[in-house]
Amino acid sequence: MRLETKEDFRQWMHKVLDPLASLYSEGGARLHLGDSGVTYPQVSIEMEAFSRPLWALVPFWAGGGRDEKFEEIYVKGLTNGTDPGHEEYWGGFTDYDQRFVEMAAIASGMIFAPEKVWEPLSSQAKQNLADWLYGINQYIIPDCNWQFFMILVNVALRKHGYRYDQEKLDSGLKKVESYYLGEGWYRDGGSAQKDYYISFAMHYYGLLYAAAMEKEEPERCRQFKDRAELFARDFIYRFDEDGSALPYGRSLAYRFGEAAFWSAYVFAGLKGIPAAVVKGILSRHLNWWDSQKIYDRDGVLTIGYAYPNLIMAERYNAPGSPYWGMKSLLCLAMPDDHEFWAVKGEPLPELSRVKALKQADMIMHRQGKDVIAYAAGVCEKYGHGHVPEKYSKFAYSTRFGFSVARSQIVLHENAPDSALAFVIDGDDYVFVRKVSLSCEVKEDRVVSTWQPFPGILVTSTVIPEEEGHRRIHEIESSFDCTAYDCGYSVEKFTPGYEQKADENQAEVRYESMGCRVEGDGPEAKGMIIEADPNTNVLYTNTTIPAVSYRIRKGEKIRLETVIRTFVK
């Protein structure tokens, strides 16, 4: 689908949302899309699925769009979901309640499309909705991007003259301010990791606030915008020329939400990156996702990344969760005569081949038709699932993706692509970098010290090169073990596929992509890891070229592995 005109973007929205229309409950307040479980109850699962399409419908309505079926569903659903006497009532709350997250979409509707989300409600329904939303002020919410949910709710209540909590609004904004690191970058509360939540949440909601409160708080709103301008100069490096974005970090099940920042960027009137470039990024990104296997047979979004995949999901990925990606359609709120709709989408501007994003703890490498991030292994270590795989591999690629472990036992189940994996003699467990004990991102290399297992200490240096990268590992071990330095996962069962391993090198390739690994170290030996199905986020079946090394107890070992790739 070509995405140039406003109608093109509207039709993209309809393709994603129209399959849902017949699935809402009789009262309109619940949406049941599947039976997989998460950490919150069924009422929250179905309320989440109801709420998240609003991230596209609200801007669609604000920008002049009309769709009677969804308008009727949401007036009915908001009325019944907040009515304590109705069987579809969304209920009261607990601390850290998932329903607080979903309030933000409703609040945005009240702020930016009140003629569809607020004005059609009866006076009693308005009071019920306002009372229900106010509940976010009466419970504990996490000290992270969730503060913005409370902020947006109180802004919405304030604008409509209903009870709100100025103290909570002020404290939330103060906390958000404390997260700012400089150079356009935030941290997400106490978390040290920098994933696309910085764009998807911290900047996105900051720009919504700036659009909503510019008259009341011009200085704070200008600050949110200025920070987004700085951030955009770095964030643009995460996007490939084919429209894909770097798969890295958590919440990848939101898929095309990776580009939500760019939609908020133009919505807020920012111009440091030209509108034609932003339009090119958004249109290519949405088209790339439209070509992936992301829908079920009924057209409903699945949990996964490039195909349905529960292995890589987090514990908070419910059947309706992927519809948070609809935030990327905020651009639909812009009027028909906006510059964005008039310009033709342009390619990415010329970007540096290698760029250190020190605030993001990585180096970006534009290598031919691939975009790679060399990560320093900065993360929370434990958390929502597969943290080491999503943050602590040596390299992440837009074309090769990355793999998540099916288990920590044996190499093929662990699928340790772009990792140095250890297996201690006499055991089958696989140990990789979970988090770096210390790290430094320099202009031309990433250096980290880490401990895959107590008694094994590794310092790894990753250096971008013309056709790939070089890894140098210095290892001290209290155990006899084998270390496997692994290349990228390569798609299997494709035309021209072949693999080979001999002496100190291994290679897997097919007609359009391939990876070769060559090593120098004690007893270096090339090998191929046949990864379990559904471990890679892009491809259902992959193999991983690797070099194994023999590590002797008490010796100081130096390994050097060169990773070479090609992408046509």
Side-chain angles (χ1 to χ4, degrees), residues 266-282:
V266 291
F267 172 74
L270 305 186
K271 297 184 180 295
I273 306 294
V277 173
V278 175
K279 188 173 187 177
I281 294 171
L282 268 172

Side-chain angles (χ1 to χ4, degrees), residues 416-419 471 485-489 515-517 544-547 563:
D417 58 349
S418 296
R471 304 174 192 164
D485 211 356
C486 306
Y488 297 101
S489 295
C515 177
R516 182 172 180 270
V517 181
I544 306 168
V547 175
I563 314 295

Side-chain angles (χ1 to χ4, degrees), residues 426-462:
D427 207 341
D428 293 324
Y429 278 82
V430 181
F431 300 99
V432 296
R433 184 171 71 173
K434 301 178 184 68
V435 62
S436 292
L437 303 176
S438 64
C439 61
E440 183 178 6
V441 177
K442 301 182 179 181
E443 294 300 322
D444 66 339
R445 65 192 60 202
V446 177
V447 182
S448 63
T449 298
W450 50 284
Q451 192 175 45
F453 185 80
I456 303 175
L457 188 67
V458 186
T459 296
S460 298
T461 302
V462 179

